Amino acid sequence: MPRFRPLPLAIAMAVALGAILALIYVKRSGHVHAPDSIAHFALSPAPAALPDVAFSDALGHRHTLAEFKGHYVLLNLWATWCAPCVKELPSLAKLQKTMGNRLVVVPVDVGRGEALDAAKFLQEHGAGSLQVYLDSDIALVRALKAYGLPTTVLIDPKGREIGRAAGDADWGAPSSVRYLQAITARASS
Protein backbone atom coordinates (compact mmCIF):
# COMPACT_ATOMS: atom_id res chain seq x y z
CA MET A 1 0.00 0.00 0.00
CA PRO A 2 1.45 3.42 -0.98
CA ARG A 3 2.33 5.75 1.87
CA PHE A 4 0.53 9.12 2.11
CA ARG A 5 2.95 12.05 1.73
CA PRO A 6 1.50 15.31 3.04
CA LEU A 7 4.43 17.58 2.06
CA PRO A 8 4.16 17.14 -1.74
CA LEU A 9 0.40 17.57 -1.49
CA ALA A 10 0.81 20.75 0.58
CA ILE A 11 3.30 22.15 -1.94
CA ALA A 12 0.99 21.38 -4.84
CA MET A 13 -1.93 23.01 -3.03
CA ALA A 14 0.15 26.12 -2.24
CA VAL A 15 1.22 26.46 -5.89
CA ALA A 16 -2.37 26.05 -7.07
CA LEU A 17 -3.63 28.60 -4.53
CA GLY A 18 -0.93 31.07 -5.59
CA ALA A 19 -1.93 30.66 -9.24
CA ILE A 20 -5.61 31.18 -8.40
CA LEU A 21 -4.84 34.32 -6.36
CA ALA A 22 -2.68 35.68 -9.19
CA LEU A 23 -5.51 35.12 -11.67
CA ILE A 24 -8.00 36.85 -9.38
CA TYR A 25 -5.63 39.81 -8.95
CA VAL A 26 -5.04 40.09 -12.70
CA LYS A 27 -8.77 39.78 -13.44
CA ARG A 28 -9.62 42.50 -10.93
CA SER A 29 -6.95 44.81 -12.32
CA GLY A 30 -7.95 44.11 -15.90
CA HIS A 31 -4.30 44.23 -16.94
CA VAL A 32 -2.53 41.06 -17.91
CA HIS A 33 0.55 42.59 -19.51
CA ALA A 34 2.20 45.96 -19.40
CA PRO A 35 2.48 47.78 -22.73
CA ASP A 36 5.69 47.47 -24.75
CA SER A 37 6.80 50.91 -23.53
CA ILE A 38 7.22 49.42 -20.04
CA ALA A 39 7.81 45.81 -21.05
CA HIS A 40 10.02 45.08 -18.02
CA PHE A 41 7.15 45.96 -15.65
CA ALA A 42 5.02 43.25 -14.09
CA LEU A 43 2.24 43.42 -11.54
CA SER A 44 2.85 41.37 -8.40
CA PRO A 45 0.60 38.34 -7.83
CA ALA A 46 -0.33 39.88 -4.47
CA PRO A 47 0.56 43.15 -2.71
CA ALA A 48 3.69 42.81 -0.57
CA ALA A 49 4.79 44.74 2.50
CA LEU A 50 7.84 46.96 2.02
CA PRO A 51 10.73 47.46 4.43
CA ASP A 52 10.89 50.61 6.53
CA VAL A 53 14.24 51.95 5.32
CA ALA A 54 15.34 55.58 5.41
CA PHE A 55 16.77 57.63 2.55
CA SER A 56 17.60 61.35 2.30
CA ASP A 57 16.31 64.33 0.38
CA ALA A 58 18.45 67.14 -1.08
CA LEU A 59 18.61 68.92 2.29
CA GLY A 60 19.75 65.79 4.13
CA HIS A 61 16.40 65.15 5.84
CA ARG A 62 15.61 61.48 6.31
CA HIS A 63 12.46 59.97 4.77
CA THR A 64 10.80 56.57 4.57
CA LEU A 65 8.27 55.15 2.14
CA ALA A 66 5.66 55.25 4.92
CA GLU A 67 5.48 59.04 4.43
CA PHE A 68 3.92 58.48 1.02
CA LYS A 69 1.02 56.33 2.26
CA GLY A 70 -2.28 57.43 0.78
CA HIS A 71 -0.72 57.88 -2.67
CA TYR A 72 0.37 55.63 -5.46
CA VAL A 73 4.16 55.87 -5.67
CA LEU A 74 6.54 54.97 -8.46
CA LEU A 75 9.86 54.46 -6.65
CA ASN A 76 12.79 54.55 -9.09
CA LEU A 77 16.30 53.52 -8.06
CA TRP A 78 18.90 55.04 -10.38
CA ALA A 79 22.53 56.16 -10.58
CA THR A 80 24.42 58.69 -12.68
CA TRP A 81 26.73 55.98 -14.04
CA CYS A 82 23.82 53.78 -15.19
CA ALA A 83 23.14 54.45 -18.91
CA PRO A 84 19.63 52.86 -18.90
CA CYS A 85 18.77 54.95 -15.81
CA VAL A 86 19.83 58.15 -17.55
CA LYS A 87 17.80 57.17 -20.61
CA GLU A 88 14.57 56.82 -18.60
CA LEU A 89 14.88 59.87 -16.32
CA PRO A 90 13.11 62.31 -18.71
CA SER A 91 10.22 59.87 -19.11
CA LEU A 92 9.79 59.74 -15.31
CA ALA A 93 9.59 63.55 -15.24
CA LYS A 94 7.02 63.46 -18.05
CA LEU A 95 5.00 60.80 -16.20
CA GLN A 96 4.99 62.88 -12.99
CA LYS A 97 3.79 65.95 -14.89
CA THR A 98 1.07 63.98 -16.69
CA MET A 99 -0.18 62.06 -13.64
CA GLY A 100 -0.15 65.03 -11.25
CA ASN A 101 -1.08 64.06 -7.69
CA ARG A 102 -2.53 60.73 -8.84
CA LEU A 103 0.95 59.20 -8.67
CA VAL A 104 4.12 60.40 -6.93
CA VAL A 105 7.41 59.66 -8.67
CA VAL A 106 10.19 59.13 -6.11
CA PRO A 107 13.56 58.91 -7.88
CA VAL A 108 16.32 57.77 -5.52
CA ASP A 109 19.96 58.18 -6.60
CA VAL A 110 21.83 55.17 -5.25
CA GLY A 111 25.24 56.43 -6.31
CA ARG A 112 27.79 57.81 -3.91
CA GLY A 113 27.33 61.42 -5.03
CA GLU A 114 26.05 64.48 -3.23
CA ALA A 115 22.56 65.95 -3.45
CA LEU A 116 23.80 68.94 -5.46
CA ASP A 117 25.40 66.58 -7.97
CA ALA A 118 22.15 64.60 -8.30
CA ALA A 119 20.07 67.77 -8.71
CA LYS A 120 22.42 69.13 -11.37
CA PHE A 121 22.44 65.75 -13.12
CA LEU A 122 18.63 65.58 -13.19
CA GLN A 123 18.49 69.14 -14.56
CA GLU A 124 21.04 68.37 -17.29
CA HIS A 125 19.15 65.23 -18.34
CA GLY A 126 15.65 66.61 -18.73
CA ALA A 127 14.38 65.56 -15.31
CA GLY A 128 14.98 68.69 -13.25
CA SER A 129 11.34 68.81 -12.16
CA LEU A 130 11.78 65.63 -10.10
CA GLN A 131 12.59 65.71 -6.39
CA VAL A 132 16.10 64.71 -5.35
CA TYR A 133 16.43 61.71 -3.05
CA LEU A 134 19.59 59.80 -2.14
CA ASP A 135 20.38 56.33 -0.83
CA SER A 136 24.14 56.80 -0.41
CA ASP A 137 24.53 53.77 1.87
CA ILE A 138 22.41 51.62 -0.52
CA ALA A 139 20.23 50.44 2.37
CA LEU A 140 17.10 50.82 0.24
CA VAL A 141 18.70 48.89 -2.61
CA ARG A 142 19.57 46.01 -0.27
CA ALA A 143 16.18 46.02 1.48
CA LEU A 144 14.29 45.94 -1.82
CA LYS A 145 16.65 43.32 -3.27
CA ALA A 146 17.20 45.56 -6.27
CA TYR A 147 19.99 43.63 -7.93
CA GLY A 148 20.16 45.77 -11.05
CA LEU A 149 19.54 49.34 -12.10
CA PRO A 150 17.26 50.89 -12.84
CA THR A 151 14.72 49.20 -10.61
CA THR A 152 11.26 50.73 -10.37
CA VAL A 153 8.66 49.69 -7.81
CA LEU A 154 4.96 50.60 -7.97
CA ILE A 155 3.55 51.07 -4.48
CA ASP A 156 -0.15 51.25 -3.65
CA PRO A 157 -1.74 53.81 -1.26
CA LYS A 158 -1.43 51.31 1.60
CA GLY A 159 2.35 51.26 1.14
CA ARG A 160 2.59 47.81 -0.46
CA GLU A 161 4.53 46.80 -3.55
CA ILE A 162 2.12 45.92 -6.36
CA GLY A 163 4.51 45.86 -9.31
CA ARG A 164 8.14 46.10 -10.34
CA ALA A 165 10.32 46.75 -13.34
CA ALA A 166 13.94 45.66 -13.59
CA GLY A 167 15.41 47.64 -16.45
CA ASP A 168 14.62 50.88 -18.23
CA ALA A 169 11.21 51.86 -19.50
CA ASP A 170 9.47 54.70 -21.28
CA TRP A 171 7.26 55.75 -18.37
CA GLY A 172 6.05 58.88 -20.16
CA ALA A 173 4.78 57.10 -23.29
CA PRO A 174 1.01 57.45 -23.81
CA SER A 175 0.52 53.67 -23.46
CA SER A 176 2.46 53.68 -20.15
CA VAL A 177 0.44 56.60 -18.83
CA ARG A 178 -2.88 54.95 -19.78
CA TYR A 179 -1.77 51.70 -18.10
CA LEU A 180 -0.79 53.47 -14.87
CA GLN A 181 -3.95 55.61 -14.95
CA ALA A 182 -6.01 52.43 -15.13
CA ILE A 183 -4.17 50.94 -12.15
CA THR A 184 -4.43 54.10 -10.06
CA ALA A 185 -8.11 54.56 -10.95
CA ARG A 186 -8.92 51.36 -9.06
CA ALA A 187 -8.21 53.09 -5.75
CA SER A 188 -10.66 55.86 -6.40
CA SER A 189 -13.50 53.58 -7.53
Side-chain angles (χ1 to χ4, degrees):
M1 176 145 196
R3 211 173 104 194
F4 177 70
R5 296 184 179 206
L7 185 58
L9 180 60
I11 292 171
M13 287 176 63
V15 169
L17 179 60
I20 290 168
L21 290 174
L23 284 172
I24 290 169
Y25 185 76
V26 167
K27 269 197 161 194
R28 282 188 181 165
S29 71
H31 299 84
V32 177
H33 298 288
D36 288 343
S37 54
I38 53 174
H40 297 296
F41 180 80
L43 286 172
S44 304
L50 288 169
D52 190 28
V53 178
F55 51 95
S56 302
D57 65 18
L59 299 174
H61 298 120
R62 302 297 278 171
H63 299 275
T64 65
L65 293 172
E67 294 174 36
F68 297 96
K69 280 189 178 174
H71 301 280
Y72 275 94
V73 173
L74 194 68
L75 173 70
N76 178 262
L77 304 177
W78 67 279
T80 59
W81 45 262
C82 166
C85 300
V86 175
K87 178 181 166 189
E88 82 174 352
L89 284 171
S91 73
L92 288 164
K94 184 177 179 183
L95 175 67
Q96 180 64 81
K97 183 178 178 183
T98 304
M99 294 290 287
N101 64 1
R102 194 175 200 178
L103 176 109
V104 179
V105 175
V106 179
V108 181
D109 179 5
V110 300
R112 304 258 185 226
E114 299 291 322
L116 288 176
D117 296 336
K120 182 179 175 189
F121 191 86
L122 288 172
Q123 190 67 40
E124 290 172 352
H125 290 88
S129 62
L130 295 174
Q131 293 290 323
V132 175
Y133 295 103
L134 303 168
D135 182 29
S136 301
D137 58 1
I138 63 169
L140 192 56
V141 169
R142 286 191 306 269
L144 291 173
K145 297 179 178 133
Y147 299 117
L149 294 178
T151 294
T152 307
V153 178
L154 181 60
I155 302 166
D156 73 6
K158 294 180 181 177
R160 304 171 303 178
E161 179 177 337
I162 60 169
R164 183 181 286 230
D168 65 310
D170 185 358
W171 297 103
S175 59
S176 302
V177 172
R178 282 191 304 274
Y179 182 75
L180 291 169
Q181 285 172 334
I183 291 172
T184 59
R186 289 184 310 188
S188 53
S189 56

